[in-house]
Amino acid sequence: MRRPRPQTAITGSATAPEVDSGGEITLQVLDYAGVQKLIAGHRGKIVVVDFWSTACPPCVKEFPELVAIQARIGKEQLAGVSLSLDYDGSEKLEEIKPRVLEFLQKKHATIDNVLCSDQAEDVCKKAGIAAVPAVFVYDRDGKLRERMIESKSLGDKGIYGRVNKLVDELLAAR
């Protein structure tokens, strides 16, 4: 398992550069139960949750796809949730948060950004994944439709090739 580095328990925000008209970039610190409540709060929308870490090269490479799908579909129909698993217990959350927030600012991530305050290994166990990257897609009723992990079987388009296809199917099913 790629072990993400720990993050801080400070909630902060920063204004996105002017090229990003999507709004403010914020980072909230929640435990895994809080993340589940956040997801449930988006009932009525399709929810895409990206489990990632700044210490994970494939995560960093695919992260812009989460921002892109949110921009393509719009906040009225889709909620993008970035769930950073940088906290592994070796650093204080306050030390991790600035690094995660800086990354989010560079990616213009005007979505729901969460730094999980539970240790990465514990979150992976609770979520039923071995490692990051992983993406979960929930339908409008809050039902988990699919868990996707990085896999050669997903083809050249990776996780987000499948995510985009599933989201389009869920949108069409309405």
Side-chain angles (χ1 to χ4, degrees):
M1 173 178 146
R2 292 179 189 100
R3 294 209 34 163
R5 295 185 301 231
Q7 302 157 7
T8 60
I10 301 169
T11 299
S13 65
T15 303
E18 288 193 350
V19 294
D20 179 19
S21 61
E24 189 177 31
I25 297 171
T26 60
L27 178 60
Q28 58 184 320
V29 176
L30 298 173
D31 62 11
Y32 194 65
V35 172
Q36 297 307 305
K37 289 178 186 174
L38 175 67
I39 293 166
H42 286 301
R43 189 144 301 161
K45 298 179 183 183
I46 297 165
V47 180
V48 177
V49 181
D50 192 324
F51 294 72
W52 67 282
S53 167
T54 58
C56 164
C59 299
V60 170
K61 180 181 177 187
E62 288 192 351
F63 187 88
E65 296 294 330
L66 176 62
V67 176
I69 196 171
Q70 179 72 72
R72 179 174 72 86
I73 304 299
K75 293 185 178 188
E76 299 78 29
Q77 297 186 73
L78 185 134
V81 178
S82 96
L83 180 57
S84 170
L85 300 186
D86 278 62
Y87 181 64
D88 68 3
S90 66
E91 293 178 85
K92 293 182 180 179
L93 286 167
E94 294 80 17
E95 296 168 345
I96 299 165
K97 190 167 182 179
R99 153 175 89 235
V100 173
L101 188 56
E102 179 182 7
F103 174 83
L104 296 168
Q105 290 168 336
K106 287 179 182 176
K107 301 303 178 188
H108 309 289
T110 55
I111 55 180
D112 287 323
N113 297 299
V114 177
L115 171 59
C116 197
S117 61
D118 293 339
Q119 290 186 20
E121 189 173 325
D122 294 337
V123 175
C124 287
K125 285 178 186 174
K126 291 175 186 176
I129 58 175
V132 293
V135 178
F136 289 11
V137 178
Y138 295 82
D139 65 18
R140 289 183 179 95
D141 296 324
K143 179 182 175 189
L144 177 60
R145 296 299 295 262
E146 194 166 335
R147 291 180 186 166
M148 293 166 238
I149 58 170
E150 185 177 32
S151 169
K152 303 263 189 249
S153 67
L154 292 174
D156 293 340
K157 294 184 180 180
I159 291 174
Y160 277 93
R162 177 66 189 132
V163 170
N164 278 291
K165 183 178 179 199
L166 179 57
V167 166
D168 288 344
E169 289 169 5
L170 293 171
L171 287 170
R174 184 160 204 172

